Amino acid sequence: MKDGKLLTLAIESSCDETAAAVLLEGRQVLSSIISSQIDIHKLYGGVVPEIASRHHLENVNTVVDQAMTEAGVTMDEVDMIGVTYGPGLVGALLIGLATAKAYAAAADKPLIGVHHIHGHICANFIEHKELEPPFMALVISGGHTNIVEVTGYNECRVLGGTRDDAAGEAYDKVARVLGLGYPGGPLIDKIAGEGNPHAVEFKRVFLEKGSLDFSFSGIKTGVLNYINSEKQAGREINVPDVAASFQEAVLEVIVAKTVGAAIDMKKDKIVLAGGVAANSRLRAMLSEECKKHSIGLYYPSPVLCTDNAAMIGCAAYYKYKAGCRDDLTLDAIPNLKL
Ligand code: KG4
Ligand code: ZN
């Protein structure tokens, strides 16, 4: 407790960011430390799981110490320890989880396991102090693309998801094909701003009528085929045009399905979460559609969109308030369902 308010220490290590944060009463961030491995994985064009685990192990204690020091709190004052236990890379998850368990056992504090996607959604509670459920959430990252009906702080129901690649994965793959580098999402976001989104009409994949699922694996092949046929015809590739056209095809489907789901389920708020939620074109397209249908649109600032521990701390706080407690048998679950 600090000033009569609950204090949460949270740890996140599901992919390539080692992160720790301290929060007061779930929504006020006292510190949020993120040690990113992007520069290391860049060399390989994607996250290498074994390398990720090793770096989490090297960094996690320093990151936790930094979070505690920056927040100016002691372990005695901490009321709960929140940690991501899935989904994610198993080796990476295990490092954060083992660390959280060690602190929980040594300091005799309750341990709260958090679903990574629940955390991403909760990033919005940190950013928007007035936001409350119910709402429709679009969770869109390197590992996930889900439309989630959120009816309470701990009540989430997945209405649709990707059947193959996640949206961020599609961005990263297409960026690689276009020779833009890693991670591709922010690079495509930037360069697409200079291109014509209707230069190439890539196929919009809506799947069966009424389905809230997605499929993004075809568009990567579509982009590859287009590049090859242009090269064979001796024409130069206009990278901004291809990037903008790819992005438009992907986002049109995402926006249509998300807004459609909000209207069908009578939700007057849409909440964005995950790394791709930082995308400027997605925000612009959704803003326009939401305005048309009088739906409120919420998204976190970019640093709360990508992986961080503050969002995990917020989710842990609401689970704690609902009486959830985990013990030292809590295991990492790489394909944990929401
Ligand atoms: O949430 P996150 O940090 O990690 C996962 O849980 O996956 O998301 C990372 C993903 C990457 O695929 C990255 O390319 C994408 O988010 N991303 C973006 C943007 N910023 C990050 N995609 C599109 N536009 C962006 N501005
Ligand atoms: Zn994530």
Side-chain angles (χ1 to χ4, degrees):
M1 285 277 186
K2 195 172 170 68
D3 308 327
K5 293 174 175 169
L6 286 169
L7 202 61
T8 307
L9 165 66
I11 301 174
E12 152 68 38
S13 69
S14 65
C15 189
D16 59 347
E17 264 95 28
T18 320
V22 176
L23 292 92
L24 201 57
E25 213 58 30
R27 287 170 96 133
Q28 187 189 342
V29 180
L30 299 186
S31 66
S32 178
I33 309 294
I34 304 168
S35 166
S36 175
Q37 305 175 8
I38 284 183
D39 287 340
I40 298 157
H41 298 288
K42 225 179 221 171
L43 305 172
Y44 308 94
V47 178
V48 183
E50 286 77 9
I51 296 178
S53 308
R54 196 183 323 139
H55 282 275
H56 285 308
L57 187 58
E58 281 169 9
N59 294 329
V60 69
N61 289 311
T62 314
V63 167
V64 172
D65 286 347
Q66 250 177 294
M68 295 293 286
T69 307
E70 202 169 286
V73 298
T74 63
M75 197 54 84
D76 261 359
E77 293 172 304
V78 167
D79 295 288
M80 72 197 88
I81 297 178
V83 63
T84 309
Y85 73 111
L89 302 168
V90 68
L93 287 166
L94 280 169
I95 307 295
L97 189 57
T99 308
K101 283 184 192 177
Y103 281 112
D108 195 20
K109 304 289 178 184
L111 179 73
I112 319 274
V114 171
H115 191 290
H116 184 75
I117 299 296
H118 184 206
H120 271 300
I121 293 170
C122 287
N124 284 280
F125 296 133
I126 296 171
E127 187 82 40
H128 307 284
K129 303 297 179 208
E130 76 294 355
L131 180 67
E132 287 174 17
F135 50 74
M136 195 58 76
L138 170 66
V139 184
I140 184 167
S141 74
H144 320 274
T145 312
N146 289 113
I147 295 178
V148 184
E149 184 187 20
V150 180
T151 50
Y153 284 105
N154 296 303
E155 285 77 41
C156 303
R157 188 163 70 99
V158 176
L159 303 178
T162 182
R163 294 187 185 167
D164 38 61
D165 291 352
E169 202 177 347
Y171 267 89
D172 293 340
K173 285 179 176 173
V174 167
R176 194 181 312 163
V177 167
L178 290 173
L180 291 175
Y182 173 86
L187 301 168
I188 290 191
D189 189 359
K190 191 155 175 265
I191 204 167
E194 301 153 25
N196 170 9
H198 298 289
V200 193
E201 291 298 330
F202 292 114
K203 191 165 179 258
R204 275 68 171 152
V205 183
F206 280 94
L207 302 169
E208 320 77 66
K209 199 169 161 30
S211 170
L212 292 176
D213 282 349
F214 300 98
S215 170
F216 299 117
S217 65
I219 193 147
K220 188 197 77 179
T221 318
V223 173
L224 254 180
N225 289 344
Y226 171 79
I227 291 173
N228 289 338
S229 66
E230 288 297 289
K231 279 189 180 157
Q232 269 169 12
R235 286 190 286 268
E236 201 155 309
I237 307 296
N238 183 320
V239 175
D241 277 358
V242 178
S245 300
F246 151 76
Q247 171 161 275
E248 204 70 3
V250 165
L251 297 183
E252 260 181 40
V253 177
I254 292 172
V255 169
K257 291 200 182 213
T258 308
V259 175
I263 294 170
D264 287 350
M265 311 287 287
K266 303 201 171 21
K267 298 286 183 291
D268 61 0
K269 287 174 263 180
I270 289 178
V271 163
L272 299 184
V276 187
N279 185 273
S280 56
R281 183 75 188 127
L282 172 68
R283 290 177 174 198
M285 288 167 83
L286 267 174
S287 293
E288 203 180 312
E289 278 309 296
C290 284
K291 205 181 267 173
K292 267 191 222 160
H293 299 280
S294 304
I295 295 170
L297 178 64
Y298 298 81
Y299 43 78
S301 49
V303 68
L304 280 170
C305 282
T306 46
D307 289 349
N308 65 87
M311 66 184 198
I312 303 303
C314 181
Y317 167 83
Y318 284 110
K319 288 189 77 173
Y320 178 91
K321 294 280 275 187
C324 296
R325 302 288 185 274
D326 288 301
D327 60 28
L328 300 183
T329 62
L330 182 69
D331 209 354
I333 306 179
N335 59 354
L336 183 65
K337 297 281 173 280
L338 193 62

